[in-house]
Amino acid sequence: MTDHAVDERSKLRDANRDYAIGLARAFGGAIVFALPLLMTMEMWQLGYTMDRSRLLVFLLANLLVLLRLAHFAGFEKTSGLRDAAMDALAAYGVGVVAGTSLLALFGVIAPAMSTGEVIGKIAVQAVPASFGAVIARKQFGGGDDAEQDEKERRAGYAGQLFLMLAGALFMAFNVAPTDEIVLIALVMSPAHELFAIGTSILLLHAFVYSVGFSGQKKVSIGVGQNRALLRFTLPGYAVALAVSLFVLWVFGRTQEVSSIEVLSMVIVLGLPAAVGAAIARLLV
């Protein structure tokens, strides 16, 4: 056997080992991120009560987010669109397997249930699990921060807003299925809602300014903070509100309610979504 052949076999073996390690991290990330929702009754119910067309829209949106996330922080290194697409699909597959296994373990899915109910429960739970799977390399210490920062720099301002969107989507998804969102929106007064908006913007700005997004310079109080407010904080809050409205629509919370009630729910959900947007760089 030639030296070249030996080198090729060694490279292939190393690549397979790295991919196996990446998959192990992905399963770990899927379980860590999805476990709270896997043990939530509202999520079980959504599996068979959600409108199937809205569920399909949500799954497609999730795949698009996974595709972009895989470019920034996939569970293995990516070098192009094809690699990112393979990572995204693999992460969703990991999410499906992890979600199915734990739902079966908890007795939430069983052979006696209808196929539609089982598929619906797995599809809903696979969303947070796949999110955890795709960013497992960053969370479990296998990521290269310098490499990710360079990718973010090349992605530019749009890339920063996308990271905010991803963080907002994950955080909003964690609380949107609960009835408490509706309850809080009902008991809050207009004064409470204005205070919630101000708190959301303040928290988002504090995190954005302290965590620092790519391209944001560390500057003194005054003009620099105003620039960060206009460039990152306010657009980030707008993204958080848009994500909140989308998630509420997906879960059917906007049906048969007034526009005022919808606005109240968006403001309530906008608070955790804004926090998710703000800490997106820590998560992703």
Side-chain angles (χ1 to χ4, degrees):
M1 185 177 293
T2 65
D3 291 342
H4 177 72
V6 172
D7 289 343
E8 288 299 319
R9 289 188 61 182
S10 178
K11 289 179 180 178
L12 180 60
R13 185 169 57 251
D14 290 344
N16 289 337
R17 183 195 61 196
D18 291 344
Y19 190 74
I21 293 173
L23 278 179
R25 287 197 189 105
F27 273 101
I31 293 172
V32 168
F33 274 71
L35 193 57
L37 291 175
L38 283 162
M39 302 179 74
T40 304
M41 185 173 62
E42 288 91 347
M43 286 292 289
W44 305 341
Q45 295 173 340
L46 281 171
Y48 58 88
T49 61
M50 276 185 70
D51 179 84
R52 287 318 191 229
S53 61
R54 297 189 184 200
L55 177 57
L56 178 60
V57 170
F58 191 50
L59 293 179
L60 291 175
N62 179 58
L63 284 173
L64 291 175
V65 172
L66 290 180
L67 176 62
R68 190 64 171 155
L69 280 179
H71 171 71
F72 285 116
F75 63 83
E76 64 165 355
K77 292 184 179 180
T78 58
S79 58
L81 179 60
R82 181 178 179 276
D83 285 349
M86 294 299 293
D87 252 18
L89 291 174
Y92 190 75
V94 168
V96 170
V97 173
T100 301
S101 301
L102 289 173
L103 288 174
L105 175 65
F106 299 149
V108 178
I109 57 175
M113 295 178 181
S114 67
T115 303
E117 180 178 349
V118 172
I119 292 176
K121 288 181 177 179
I122 294 172
V124 172
Q125 297 286 3
V127 173
S130 63
F131 192 102
V134 82
I135 65 173
R137 188 164 67 100
K138 170 67 179 293
Q139 295 301 310
F140 294 157
D144 185 337
D145 289 338
E147 176 192 3
Q148 183 177 336
D149 288 343
E150 177 61 20
K151 287 182 177 179
E152 291 177 23
R153 187 191 64 78
R154 290 200 303 266
Y157 183 61
Q160 305 303 311
L161 291 183
F162 167 77
L163 289 178
M164 286 187 165
L165 182 148
L169 180 62
F170 176 74
M171 195 67 76
F173 185 85
N174 271 269
V175 295
T178 65
D179 292 332
E180 283 74 13
I181 293 296
V182 179
L183 178 61
I184 293 172
L186 288 174
V187 301
M188 285 181 71
S189 67
H192 286 117
E193 292 174 357
L194 288 175
F195 187 74
I197 293 172
T199 302
S200 300
I201 294 174
L202 181 62
L203 286 174
L204 202 162
H205 186 65
F207 273 110
V208 163
Y209 201 71
S210 60
V211 173
F213 279 75
S214 177
Q216 176 188 334
K217 298 179 180 179
K218 293 183 178 180
V219 291
S220 59
I221 296 175
V223 176
Q225 287 215 20
N226 291 336
R227 182 177 183 274
L229 177 70
L230 295 175
R231 184 170 173 79
F232 291 102
T233 305
L234 294 181
Y237 185 56
V239 167
L241 292 179
V243 167
S244 299
L245 179 59
F246 173 70
V247 173
L248 289 169
W249 173 81
V250 166
F251 292 154
R253 298 295 194 186
T254 59
Q255 290 180 295
E256 299 179 0
V257 295
S258 69
S259 57
I260 298 298
E261 291 173 309
V262 171
L263 179 60
S264 296
M265 287 188 287
V266 169
I267 291 172
V268 171
L269 188 56
L271 178 55
V275 173
I279 64 173
R281 289 202 77 203
L282 300 181
L283 288 173
V284 180

